[in-house]
Structure formats: structure tokens, C-alpha cells
């Protein structure tokens, strides 16, 4: 099955700086890569996703890049704000008709005011 | 629009007791999922239902059963709870494979 590695496990940045979280996946045929944000005690919420036919996607201060050759994808948050503090999870959907998302173990982002 | 609703929000059980976690969605989604979340482990898929009338095992199905009651509802049952099943359980739904999954607020389950 798919295996997703996520780094770093914790990340602290100063307010206004950029944050980058990286994930690698094992199944070269995986074709859907969502990112979720989870605030303490809350549900995971989708913040951005990308499909394998696209190399980059941007939504205001958030962007995701995908490198299919290297089998890795990254989340970029620019101009970080204290409300960006949360745990972020990447995931990959297995190939074919699979319904399974395999999640990384999460990155705890702390934005220091 | 409630999205995905889970009940109960909290539960404490004794080892060996049984319990059913309920999940309902109002987005007319075809697919529904049950995950467990443990510290440092991310989200792991227990079971999923691609469409009404079908269920399949995920990564960690042992000790659990599921029922897709209708298109809206997908329940998770623990027949004989064990301390290792102490976790936060999330239900999610999506229109189909490869579409965004929407999560409920979770059920925090402790087994003593």
C-alpha cells in the first residue's frame, strides 16, 4: 500500500515568515494529494489539494507543489499569522479506483507573534 | 447545513463493553469513511463505504464492524472494547474517490 512520510514533525516560525512542510509518497501512481489543517480539539479541514496532472496550485497565502518524478509534494504558507498555528496533515490517494487516503503523521506549526 | 454529524462526542467504556458510533451526512455524498486518530500517528482508515450497500476494510479494521444503513448514515461498532481502542474517531464523507473528504467533529472514546 501507499506510504506517506511528512517532515518536519514540528515547525516554529516568526509571524510574517514563510513555512514549508514536505511530504513524500511511495506509490508512483497516486493521483490526488490533499492537505488538511487541524486546530486543537477540532476536525481536520481541507485547505488545498492538488492532482497529479498539475505541478502547482495556489490559494491566497497557501500553495502546494508536486514533483511526480521525485514523488514528493510540499505545502507553502507565506506571510504567516498566529491563526495559522495548527497541525497540518498531508495525504495521498492510492492509484486506480482506490478510495483510501493515506495520511502523513502531521506537522505542528507554531507561529510566534 | 450541518455537514457530517457524529454522536456521541465523548464516551467512556469499560473493557469488554460494546458500543456503536453514529455518523450522518447531509451533503448527498456517495462515500463515507471511519478513521481513528492517535497521538503522533495521524489519521488511519478503519473502514469505508464507497457507496450505499458496500463496505470495505481500511488499514486498521480489526476489532471493528460497520454498517452503511442508507446513503446518509454510516455506523461503527466496537463489539468488545479494548484499551487499545482508546482514540478519537472521525467520520468523513466525499462525493466519490479522489474528491475532498469532509470530516465530522469526532468522538473521543476512552476505554478503561
Amino acid at each position: 500500500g501507499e506510504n506517506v512520510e511528512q517532515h518536519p514533525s514540528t515547525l516554529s516560525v516568526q509571524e510574517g515568515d514563510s513555512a514549508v512542510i514536505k511530504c513524500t509518497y511511495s506509490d508512483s501512481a497516486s493521483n490526488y494529494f490533499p492537505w488538511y489543517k487541524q486546530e486543537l480539539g477540532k476536525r481536520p479541514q481541507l485547505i488545498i489539494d492538488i492532482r497529479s496532472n498539475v505541478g502547482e496550485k495556489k490559494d491566497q497565502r497557501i500553495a502546494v507543489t508536486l514533483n511526480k518524478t521525485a514523488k514528493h509534494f510540499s505545502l507553502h504558507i507565506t506571510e504567516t499569522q498566529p491563526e495559522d498555528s495548527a497541525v497540518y496533515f498531508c495525504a495521498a490517494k492510492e492509484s486506480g479506483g482506490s478510495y483510501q487516503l493515506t495520511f502523513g503523521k502531521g506537522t505542528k506549526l507554531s507561529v510566534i507573534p | 447545513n450541518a455537514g457530517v454529524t457524529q454522536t456521541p462526542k465523548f464516551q467512556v467504556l469499560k473493557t469488554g463493553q460494546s458500543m456503536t458510533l453514529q455518523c450522518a451526512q447531509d451533503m448527498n455524498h456517495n462515500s463515507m469513511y471511519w478513521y481513528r486518530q492517535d497521538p503522533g500517528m495521524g489519521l488511519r482508515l478503519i473502514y469505508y463505504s464507497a457507496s450505499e450497500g458496500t463496505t470495505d476494510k481500511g488499514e486498521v479494521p480489526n476489532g471493528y464492524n460497520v454498517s452503511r444503513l442508507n446513503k446518509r448514515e454510516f455506523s461503527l461498532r466496537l463489539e468488545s472494547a479494548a484499551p487499545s481502542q482508546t482514540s478519537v474517531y472521525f467520520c468523513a464523507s466525499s462525493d466519490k474517490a479522489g474528491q475532498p473528504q469532509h470530516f465530522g467533529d469526532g468522538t473521543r472514546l476512552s476505554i478503561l
Side-chain angles (χ1 to χ4, degrees), chain B:
Chain B
N1 190 344
V4 179
T5 302
Q6 291 184 236
T7 55
K9 296 190 185 303
F10 303 93
Q11 186 69 49
V12 179
L13 294 178
K14 295 181 179 178
T15 298
Q17 287 185 317
S18 62
M19 155 146 214
T20 300
L21 280 58
Q22 306 286 352
C23 175
Q25 53 91 9
D26 62 4
M27 295 175 282
N28 200 34
H29 283 166
N30 292 301
S31 306
M32 298 184 73
Y33 313 81
W34 276 106
Y35 293 90
R36 61 177 289 173
Q37 184 175 38
D38 302 296
M41 295 296 293
L43 290 147
R44 293 183 292 169
L45 185 64
I46 306 171
Y47 270 93
Y48 68 96
S49 171
S51 60
E52 186 178 356
T54 70
T55 61
D56 285 285
K57 295 178 180 179
E59 181 185 353
V60 289
N62 291 345
Y64 305 95
N65 286 300
V66 290
S67 295
R68 184 74 183 265
L69 305 170
N70 48 55
K71 190 172 184 179
R72 291 187 64 249
E73 298 172 289
F74 188 39
S75 63
L76 178 71
R77 183 162 178 83
L78 286 72
E79 289 291 352
S80 179
S84 60
Q85 293 177 306
T86 292
S87 189
V88 180
Y89 291 85
F90 285 99
C91 177
S93 70
S94 70
D95 189 32
K96 56 184 179 180
Q99 294 297 319
Q101 293 186 14
H102 300 264
F103 286 80
D105 286 334
T107 294
R108 284 148 184 82
L109 183 61
S110 294
I111 299 160
L112 307 177

Side-chain angles (χ1 to χ4, degrees), chain A residues 93-105:
Chain A
K93 188 189 85 68
E94 296 184 3
S95 58
S98 173
Y99 282 75
Q100 296 199 40
L101 278 182
T102 301
F103 284 81
K105 293 184 178 180

Side-chain angles (χ1 to χ4, degrees), chain A residues 49-63:
Chain A
D49 58 6
I50 193 168
R51 301 186 186 279
S52 57
N53 59 345
V54 175
E56 183 175 0
K57 184 176 180 180
K58 194 171 183 179
D59 183 4
Q60 299 183 342
R61 296 187 296 109
I62 294 172

